[in-house]
Amino acid sequence: MEAFEKNIRKVEPYVPGEQPRQRVVKLNTNENPYPPAPGVERALRELDTADFRLYPDPACSVLVDAIADHYKVGRDQVFVGVGSDDVLSLCFLTFFNSDKPILFPDITYSFYKVWARLYRIPYECKKVDEDFRIVREDYYGENGGVIFPNPNAPTALYESLELVEDILRHNRDVIVIVDEAYIDYAGPSAIELIDRYDNLVVTQTFSKSRSMAGMRIGYAIASPKLIRYLNDVKYSFNSYTLNRASLVCGAEAVKDRAYFEETVEKIKATRERAGERLARLGFSFPESSANFLFATHPDYDAREIFEALKEKGIYVRWWDSARIRQYVRITVGTDEEMEKLFAALEAFMAGRKAV
Ligand SMILES: *Cc1c(COP(=O)(O)O)cnc(C)c1O
């Protein structure tokens, strides 16, 4: 090690799902198989590229206003960022500054651990139960903050607002972040608790239900006070976050409620059909409230399934990590893509004796 390396911040980075260059059946990073709302293309075409020489609006007003209107919250209750990863990372930096550990589930979005280490925030992982459910009592003790996704990833399980509120009630003196990346495929959002719990931050994204992972748009909804603190940190870090194209395209996407609801319903219908089919093949999985299924088979090794599918150009996600090594996470694609998945799965199972 060179002498200068001792002062370098060393981190073990998050490993994103593969983004292959060739065309594959891509069921590995929970993107939406349908295009964004038609208004997005129109907005993009109407952009004047001469304006690209100018910085974008640092307050991101068109997008903040559209989100505030959609969710019927104040403009001062909305914060936007470059994907919810950016928003969440700034939330960690802004809200988690205690000497006590922050708490999150052991099986969850693996980025939480990365941000905690990056910012040197002490953390403690609380085991989800055998059914992958969050154990609420684990979050009652003293801590420096709480974060969990709802629905959780990669389990796809949705916890009731009653549980979310219970965790909030037991944590009035710290910030509780609910990461709702998949909420549109599930039940009611914790946004409805915002006015009663000024320590709650809800984050959501355009990457999944709004088909815009490539534009990088995420947001947080919270009390005006917490949004002010977030903005203070943002303006201490990078004032111009969202670019001009993302701002107008994002605003258009939010405005088209009908298209959004239709797309969500299509994915939920495909999810139900795919679940029935997986069950018939002998897979089991937690009931999905997201756009993916987290499936395991008693007779076939998950890694082998993952690799066999990949060989056939079908990408799903698999983690070599305790408790979930025998699971694959399959994004819900179009019906046609799911057909290809099932053909490949059936061929694999027929050609391979059960272990
Ligand atoms: C996809 C995802 C995010 C981040 O999505 P962005 O593309 O950065 O908006 C955050 N949390 C969870 C649980 C996710 O699955």
Side-chain angles (χ1 to χ4, degrees):
M1 194 167 95
E2 308 278 357
F4 55 71
E5 282 182 77
K6 72 177 190 303
N7 294 327
I8 290 176
R9 188 178 296 256
K10 294 169 203 75
V11 283
E12 192 185 314
Y14 172 74
V15 183
E18 281 181 85
Q19 303 297 339
R21 282 162 162 269
Q22 70 278 24
R23 281 262 160 199
V24 298
V25 177
K26 198 167 175 310
L27 306 175
N28 68 334
T29 51
N30 298 342
E31 287 135 327
N32 200 308
Y34 301 107
V40 171
E41 196 183 333
R42 224 175 303 127
L44 199 56
R45 241 187 283 118
E46 283 164 15
L47 266 180
D48 186 350
T49 53
D51 288 339
F52 283 8
R53 68 197 176 78
L54 301 169
Y55 280 110
D57 169 20
C60 304
S61 301
V62 284
L63 184 57
V64 165
D65 291 358
I67 293 169
D69 287 348
H70 183 85
Y71 291 103
K72 301 187 170 57
V73 296
R75 281 152 208 213
D76 55 357
Q77 291 181 292
V78 179
F79 176 85
V80 297
V82 186
S84 54
D85 285 341
D86 178 45
V87 175
L88 285 164
S89 157
L90 283 178
C91 283
F92 271 60
L93 190 56
T94 310
F95 300 128
F96 294 158
N97 293 288
S98 166
D99 297 330
K100 291 172 203 151
I102 61 164
L103 309 180
F104 50 84
D106 65 334
I107 299 175
T108 197
Y109 190 39
S110 51
F111 228 141
Y112 301 159
K113 201 177 276 181
V114 175
W115 288 315
R117 287 177 179 161
L118 173 64
Y119 296 133
R120 296 172 184 160
I121 301 163
Y123 66 91
E124 219 176 282
C125 296
K126 296 295 185 183
K127 269 187 144 178
V128 294
D129 71 14
E130 266 118 82
D131 300 323
F132 296 148
R133 288 280 171 193
I134 287 174
V135 181
R136 64 175 77 194
E137 292 82 7
D138 287 346
Y139 299 84
Y140 289 178
E142 264 200 277
N143 64 67
V146 174
I147 177 162
F148 57 91
N150 196 31
N152 198 1
T155 64
L157 281 170
Y158 174 73
E159 303 291 354
S160 69
L161 275 195
E162 190 271 320
L163 177 140
V164 174
E165 187 166 5
D166 187 56
I167 289 178
L168 275 164
R169 231 184 289 113
H170 283 87
N171 287 284
R172 292 300 274 152
D173 52 357
V174 295
I175 302 297
V176 176
I177 303 173
V178 183
D179 174 356
E180 292 191 335
Y182 302 101
I183 194 66
D184 299 315
Y185 305 108
S189 161
I191 291 174
E192 65 183 71
L193 302 174
I194 289 291
D195 290 331
R196 274 184 290 138
Y197 295 90
D198 54 6
N199 59 322
L200 167 63
V201 178
V202 177
T203 63
Q204 295 189 0
T205 176
F206 281 51
S207 299
K208 279 88 186 213
S209 54
R210 286 198 167 81
S211 310
M212 291 177 79
M215 293 303 271
R216 313 303 302 124
I217 308 173
Y219 52 101
I221 298 185
S223 68
K225 184 192 255 178
L226 294 191
I227 296 297
R228 273 199 304 279
Y229 280 122
L230 260 181
N231 270 313
D232 287 346
V233 170
K234 166 191 151 165
Y235 286 113
S236 309
F237 200 89
N238 177 11
S239 334
Y240 303 108
T241 47
L242 277 95
N243 64 57
R244 287 173 172 269
S246 298
L247 288 173
V248 292
C249 291
E252 281 310 311
V254 186
K255 285 177 195 160
D256 197 340
R257 199 182 280 264
Y259 179 86
F260 164 69
E261 284 170 1
E262 187 194 315
T263 310
V264 166
E265 286 313 310
K266 275 202 283 195
I267 286 167
K268 281 159 87 173
T270 305
R271 175 180 79 196
E272 298 319 304
R273 285 192 287 271
E276 285 161 21
R277 188 103 177 249
L278 275 178
R280 280 204 299 279
L281 290 176
F283 283 88
S284 58
F285 45 89
E287 188 193 347
S288 173
S289 293
N291 64 338
F292 56 87
L293 293 145
F294 194 52
T296 185
H297 198 290
D299 303 327
Y300 296 89
D301 183 62
R303 181 183 198 156
E304 285 184 28
I305 296 173
F306 164 75
E307 278 164 2
L309 289 174
K310 190 165 173 181
E311 234 161 75
K312 292 182 173 153
I314 298 166
Y315 282 49
V316 299
R317 197 91 197 261
W318 173 78
W319 288 273
D320 188 8
S321 100
R323 296 190 78 188
I324 59 169
R325 205 164 272 125
Q326 279 312 326
Y327 285 79
V328 286
R329 191 194 67 188
I330 304 167
T331 303
V332 175
T334 60
D335 286 320
E336 201 187 348
E337 287 173 320
M338 300 317 269
E339 276 308 318
K340 288 184 185 155
L341 166 81
F342 284 113
L345 263 183
E346 282 164 8
F348 164 78
M349 290 167 77
R352 187 81 109 263
K353 265 209 239 89
V355 291

